[in-house]
Amino acid sequence: MIETAVLPARRGLRLPSTLSGIAGVAVIVVLAPLLGVALAAARGPWAGLSVGTLTDYATTSAVLAVGVGVLASLLGVGSAWLVAQYRFPGRGAFSWLLVLPLAAPTFALAYGYADLLDVAGPLRTWLRQDFDIEVPGTMRSLPGSVMVLSLAFYPYVYLAVRDALLNRSSSAHEAARALGASPARVFWRVTLPMARPALAAGLALTLMETLADYGAVSFLSVQTLTTGVVRVWSVNGSPASAALLGLPLIGTAAALLILERWSRSHRAYGVHAGGWRPVPGRTLTGWRAVLATSACSLLLVVAFILPLGWLGWNGLQSTPEWPRLAAAAGRVAALGVAGALVATALALALALAGRGRPLLTRLAGLGYATPGAVMAIGLLVPAGLLWRAMPGPGWMFGIGLVLLIYAYASRLMAAALEPIASALTRARPSMSDAARALGRTPLGTAWSVHVPLASGGLLTAALIVFIDVVKELPATLILRPFNFDTLAVLADAYARDERIGQAAWPALMIVVVAMPACLWLTRRISRARPGGSPQGDD
Amino acid sequence: MTIDPVLSVEGLGFAYGARTVLSDIDLTVDPGELVAILGPSGSGKSTLLRLIAGLERPAGGRIAIGGTTVADARSSLPAERRGLGLVFQEDALFPHLTILDNVAFGLKGLPRSERRARALDALDRLGLADRADDWPHRLSGGEQQRVAVARALAPRPALVLMDEPFSRLDSALRQQIREDVVAVLRDTGVGVVLVTHDAEEAMSSADRLVLMADGRMLQTGTPEACYHRPVSVEAGRLLGPLNVVPVEAEKEGVVTPFGRLTLDGSTTGIGDLAFRPETLMRSSDGVEARVVSRTFAGAVTRYLLSVGSVRLEMKSFGADPELVEGQTVRVALRTETAPTILSRDQP
């Protein structure tokens, strides 16, 4: 009797096989499209591509990445330094308002600025007519893209550096002061070096997003590897060429991921065993206070209020097509919920099975770092097989949706993994051991102990995925079933027809949905870190 | 007819990769017996507990619970099917469940009312019935550990495994809670394996001790036997300070600094005479000893003495005004507890 109950002894295998199985599926979900890209690229023929275009695209991507990296770092570190280091009027509000650009899809900023700063736009017309000043240049250029993406992505740097500066242990600073260093010297020799890993992490995220961006860059008529992927696929109908363009992007993604991991492992030197005491900010008075407040206000206006406000003004001049908007909103909501459920479930399995197995989570991270357009191209190969084997056209729609949700899940799983994994740190190994001893199977333990403990993290994860799905454009463009418009796709279509007023509506609807969620997530996530809340210490 | 032991472990071994953690462990626990496993950290005692619980798989040997083999080198029954109670050092209560739900966690396949009644009954035994609807984080450390015991006892296991259950508590509370919990365990009649690194805790709670170091068993026996008749210096020192004096055993007796003693066992040759500090006392017909240092520790005072080239520790109640540093006094061994001769030939 006991023979049937006894499991075969396999030493070292401590994980429940069911969970490991699901986690394995999760990793395959991430890796399959990447493999698809490699296979498609190898197969050829590479229509519409020459060595020249490939080099051009790659150069543009590189210049864009460097430009955005520098400008976003300046904006992010500067604002983080002000908010973390000083006290000035409005500082409390700015500390969370400055993340707002994360709620806006990049193309919304691009539409706003392209119109506002157009040669025939209101600003330049006014300067020309009233002051006879002719400003050179156009937004639809590489510098224009650098500006838009820097404004859109500086919050990644801001958030990472701000938290590093707020959470640094005051003892190192007190020691430096006691050793005779002036406040300025402490900042340059102690504070900034200690925030360097945070800067690297924020920068890595910024670069990943920059290289992956499609909506803004393509609207601003700049040809990068990512816009090339979509263009070669849609114009030349060549998945092989698109995949070939995707390969350097995957390679860069992997490199950025390694940078991000590296900086994270070094971030540990911000964390000391002793109690967290926030370094008291210096209170600014007089013109310094005015300057600090103005700088933060200016950034907020330039990165969020001005472009979106102008876009909104444009929207009000046009008559929205409500039925199309409502249908698109309904679709993207459904996609968002489905994507969130699938990605969160897979991420949970990965979080449970991946504890003590960093390789699993790193592989999932590769999916996050890979641009959505490339991920979608990788799915076209299996999709082609499915479409060919399909019994009727009715299936086309369903398969398209499944692929779309698959693409979201594989790309966003890593984003969902993080809050779940951090929530699961509450679950001590002794709790699972106790549950096992009290008669729960490994899967039962996960269900009755880990899932309830991680519930907050699961909610956060689902929300992050939902927001990203709502903002997503390139993968949706490539994989969506025919005529299946989401808000982002609709905005993109209007903008292509130069109907900026019409494009404003779906773009701003995305902002309205994403903004509260974005603020809530920022507060929640920074509070979850050790010493995360600026006041909540001791 | 003999009663089956609730736990029987034979020749058990375990390794993490190439590192041997446990080798050749034999252990039995009879119904209602409390066995304490004592050893320094890294001795493998917690691993032994995890093997018994089914949280690790043995490399060799056999574990039987209630006469049924649950693990050997080939197969291992998973933890959830062994029906044992498990109590950890810390943080093992489920923070998302109330105290009552924590205790009822292991009571599956029973009607709701029955589950509630049994969980309340288990809590009541540990004196915590009034905290049933409270949350784990609102309880003190001692209360949390009592809930953990109630949770382990609720499914009425034949054997409870406890891994350093009291070590995180404040020393003031610790003894009281330990005595309360041990009383409840004895009252329940359950077999208990208690893993601890605290010699006093092990000796005062257990019917039988198992002394471990480096993954091996050093000695097993009643607390008194282990304390006064250690099988090795290593085993003896696990239970407290031990004086060790090199001696020569002859046919007529053992030649010691305290004169020729006749002892059990007919070993001859070089050995060690081992005795506890409190078996040393002042005596006018003893040997001369110089007081090297004296440490006042409340009820007892410890003295470091030198007898010739040998250093000895003496412990006595109160503080003797004549025993001050540099003073020479005469000391002898108490006769109530005979010292042990440890042969140098044995490992």
Side-chain angles (χ1 to χ4, degrees):
Chain A
M1 177 205 113
I2 205 70
E3 299 308 316
T4 56
V6 166
L7 295 175
R10 252 185 294 160
R11 316 240 22 262
L13 184 95
R14 292 218 229 150
L15 279 165
S17 52
T18 323
L19 266 182
S20 302
I22 302 174
V25 168
V27 170
I28 291 167
V29 163
V30 173
L31 292 185
L34 301 182
L35 199 67
V37 171
L39 287 178
R43 215 164 41 171
W46 306 297
L49 264 193
S50 66
V51 176
T53 47
L54 191 73
T55 329
D56 283 351
Y57 288 166
T59 313
T60 313
S61 277
V63 173
L64 182 71
V66 171
V68 173
V70 170
L71 191 54
S73 296
L74 286 176
L75 294 174
V77 173
S79 51
W81 170 67
L82 279 178
V83 164
Q85 195 85 352
Y86 299 107
R87 300 283 175 272
F88 51 88
R91 178 204 163 265
F94 284 127
S95 93
W96 55 270
L97 282 174
L98 285 172
V99 305
L100 274 180
L102 284 187
T106 55
F107 50 79
L109 294 190
Y111 301 164
Y113 269 122
D115 193 68
L116 183 65
L117 301 180
D118 191 65
V119 181
L123 205 64
R124 284 159 87 164
T125 306
W126 173 62
L127 286 173
R128 197 180 305 123
Q129 286 175 351
D130 290 16
F131 301 95
D132 208 25
I133 299 172
E134 192 60 65
V135 186
T138 165
M139 275 309 287
R140 300 195 173 220
S141 62
L142 190 52
S145 301
V146 169
M147 178 185 132
V148 163
L149 293 190
S150 300
L151 292 174
F153 297 142
Y154 83 85
Y156 288 119
V157 177
Y158 164 77
L159 274 175
V161 176
R162 181 197 70 176
D163 286 356
L165 292 181
L166 284 177
N167 289 349
R168 72 206 170 192
S169 102
S170 54
S171 52
H173 294 77
E174 281 156 9
R177 293 298 298 276
L179 289 167
S182 67
R185 197 175 150 77
V186 171
F187 180 75
W188 287 108
R189 299 294 303 277
V190 181
T191 311
L192 265 195
M194 280 173 81
R196 211 157 39 195
L199 172 60
L203 192 59
L205 274 176
T206 302
L207 295 180
M208 283 176 201
E209 294 282 354
T210 301
L211 290 174
D213 188 74
Y214 171 78
V217 173
S218 78
F219 180 74
L220 297 175
S221 314
V222 173
Q223 299 300 333
T224 61
L225 285 172
T226 300
T227 61
V229 167
V230 181
R231 180 196 179 82
V232 170
W233 172 78
S234 63
V235 176
N236 301 89
S238 166
S241 303
L244 192 63
L245 287 173
L247 281 182
L249 287 170
I250 296 179
T252 319
L256 286 173
L257 199 69
I258 291 167
L259 169 72
E260 204 256 356
R261 291 287 146 181
W262 170 83
S263 61
R264 216 182 266 229
S265 63
H266 283 247
R267 216 186 287 187
Y269 65 50
V271 183
H272 294 280
W276 286 99
R277 266 173 307 140
V279 181
R282 206 148 69 85
T283 305
L284 297 178
T285 53
W287 65 271
R288 289 167 200 270
V290 173
L291 204 63
T293 307
S294 311
C296 288
S297 313
L298 187 65
L299 184 55
L300 191 63
V301 166
V302 169
F304 193 75
I305 298 171
L306 185 63
L308 297 185
W310 180 251
L311 194 60
W313 172 255
N314 261 296
L316 291 177
Q317 312 302 309
S318 72
T319 319
E321 295 179 284
W322 285 118
R324 279 186 84 181
L325 281 175
R331 286 184 198 117
V332 82
L335 276 181
V337 169
L341 287 179
V342 175
T344 308
L346 290 176
L348 175 67
L350 208 52
L352 287 175
R355 298 213 280 177
R357 297 181 178 186
L359 186 67
L360 285 181
T361 52
R362 256 170 239 166
L363 287 173
L366 192 58
Y368 186 68
T370 303
V374 178
M375 209 63 150
I377 293 298
L379 282 175
L380 286 176
V381 178
L385 296 177
L386 279 177
W387 275 316
R388 227 165 293 149
M390 198 167 48
W395 286 75
M396 185 119 168
F397 186 78
I399 290 173
L401 281 187
V402 168
L403 283 174
L404 206 47
I405 291 165
Y406 182 110
Y408 295 148
S410 60
R411 192 165 134 63
L412 299 172
M413 198 188 302
L417 186 61
E418 194 137 315
I420 297 174
S422 84
L424 276 178
T425 54
R426 280 178 75 203
R428 307 257 161 247
S430 54
M431 289 177 200
S432 359
D433 290 347
R436 295 291 303 280
L438 290 166
R440 292 294 201 280
T441 59
L443 215 56
T445 303
W447 181 250
S448 57
V449 178
H450 293 122
V451 170
L453 278 177
S455 57
L458 290 169
L459 186 69
T460 307
L463 196 56
I464 288 174
V465 175
F466 181 83
I467 297 297
D468 271 351
V469 168
V470 171
K471 286 163 68 179
E472 214 289 328
L473 178 58
T476 317
L477 268 181
I478 294 174
L479 291 175
R480 76 200 164 111
F482 186 66
N483 265 349
F484 189 86
D485 294 343
T486 64
L487 286 174
V489 170
L490 204 55
D492 187 63
Y494 282 133
R496 265 172 216 290
D497 298 342
E498 293 297 332
R499 293 157 75 187
I500 294 301
Q502 299 285 358
W505 288 94
L508 291 175
M509 280 167 79
I510 295 174
V511 179
V512 167
V513 172
M515 203 163 71
C518 176
L519 291 178
W520 183 78
L521 283 174
T522 315
R523 293 180 73 87
R524 184 185 165 87
I525 290 169
S526 9
R527 205 173 301 158
R529 297 204 181 108
S533 105
Q535 295 87 21
D537 271 43
D538 289 356
Chain B
M1 188 190 124
T2 55
I3 306 165
D4 271 339
V6 279
L7 173 71
S8 122
V9 171
E10 294 160 20
L12 196 68
F14 182 75
Y16 278 120
R19 195 166 63 87
T20 304
V21 178
L22 287 177
S23 53
D24 217 15
I25 303 292
D26 295 295
L27 173 70
T28 56
V29 177
D30 289 328
E33 191 183 24
L34 200 161
V35 174
I37 303 178
L38 179 76
S41 57
S43 58
K45 56 190 193 303
S46 290
T47 307
L48 174 56
L49 205 71
R50 293 177 66 80
L51 282 163
I52 298 169
L55 300 167
E56 305 282 356
R57 292 153 186 270
R62 194 177 83 98
I63 302 172
I65 292 170
T68 312
T69 300
V70 294
D72 56 28
R74 286 175 300 107
S75 56
S76 175
L77 193 70
E80 64 268 24
R81 301 173 69 172
R82 295 196 183 184
L84 304 178
L86 204 50
V87 180
F88 296 90
Q89 180 176 357
E90 56 178 334
D91 286 340
L93 294 184
F94 306 121
H96 60 293
L97 298 178
T98 62
I99 301 304
L100 188 73
D101 289 339
N102 259 285
V103 177
F105 191 89
L107 302 171
K108 291 212 297 184
L110 292 173
R112 257 182 84 84
S113 56
E114 172 77 10
R115 289 183 57 178
R116 195 183 153 80
R118 275 179 64 171
L120 270 175
D121 177 54
L123 272 176
D124 191 41
R125 280 199 228 176
L126 274 301
L128 283 166
D130 55 326
R131 307 300 296 269
D133 296 321
D134 221 326
W135 295 91
H137 68 269
R138 309 220 318 160
L139 266 54
S140 70
E143 287 170 327
Q144 287 181 5
Q145 285 309 77
R146 277 147 64 202
V147 172
V149 173
R151 184 176 68 180
L153 287 177
R156 297 180 188 161
L159 180 67
V160 171
L161 309 174
M162 306 176 97
D163 190 358
E164 305 268 7
F166 312 110
S167 67
R168 212 167 60 110
L169 306 178
D170 292 339
S171 56
L173 244 77
R174 197 161 154 182
Q175 191 182 343
Q176 183 61 49
I177 289 174
R178 185 210 303 155
E179 283 168 6
D180 290 352
V181 167
V182 167
V184 172
L185 292 171
R186 295 225 177 268
D187 194 39
T188 318
V190 67
V192 179
V193 178
L194 169 72
V195 159
T196 178
H197 68 275
D198 181 335
E200 196 229 311
E201 178 172 307
M203 287 188 287
S204 62
S205 316
D207 300 310
R208 205 146 49 82
L209 292 186
V210 174
L211 305 182
M212 282 184 69
D214 298 327
R216 296 169 293 120
M217 284 174 62
L218 300 178
Q219 186 171 6
T220 174
T222 63
E224 278 128 63
C226 289
Y227 186 72
H228 287 298
R229 309 203 65 80
V231 295
S232 66
V233 175
E234 193 183 14
R237 292 227 157 112
L238 280 178
L239 294 173
L242 189 70
N243 287 314
V244 178
V245 180
V247 291
E248 200 171 338
E250 293 167 355
K251 278 210 185 83
E252 304 82 49
V254 183
V255 183
T256 76
F258 307 102
R260 194 178 292 266
L261 300 176
T262 39
L263 296 169
D264 297 345
S266 56
T267 49
T268 54
I270 304 291
D272 284 312
L273 183 73
F275 54 94
R276 299 287 171 189
E278 61 273 18
T279 55
L280 209 55
M281 61 171 185
R282 286 189 68 184
S283 165
S284 52
D285 52 352
V287 295
E288 261 190 10
R290 200 169 55 81
V291 180
V292 177
S293 70
R294 121 192 200 135
T295 310
F296 175 69
V300 294
T301 307
R302 295 199 305 271
Y303 307 93
L304 190 59
L305 310 175
S306 70
V307 178
S309 60
V310 183
R311 292 276 164 120
L312 295 177
E313 190 180 330
M314 181 168 89
K315 201 185 270 182
S316 67
F317 281 104
D320 192 328
E322 285 180 36
L323 285 179
V324 291
E325 260 175 57
Q327 198 73 33
T328 303
V329 292
R330 287 185 174 272
V331 293
L333 288 176
R334 287 178 199 279
T335 47
E336 305 97 82
T337 44
T340 309
I341 289 288
L342 303 170
S343 164
R344 287 271 175 93
D345 307 334
Q346 284 165 7

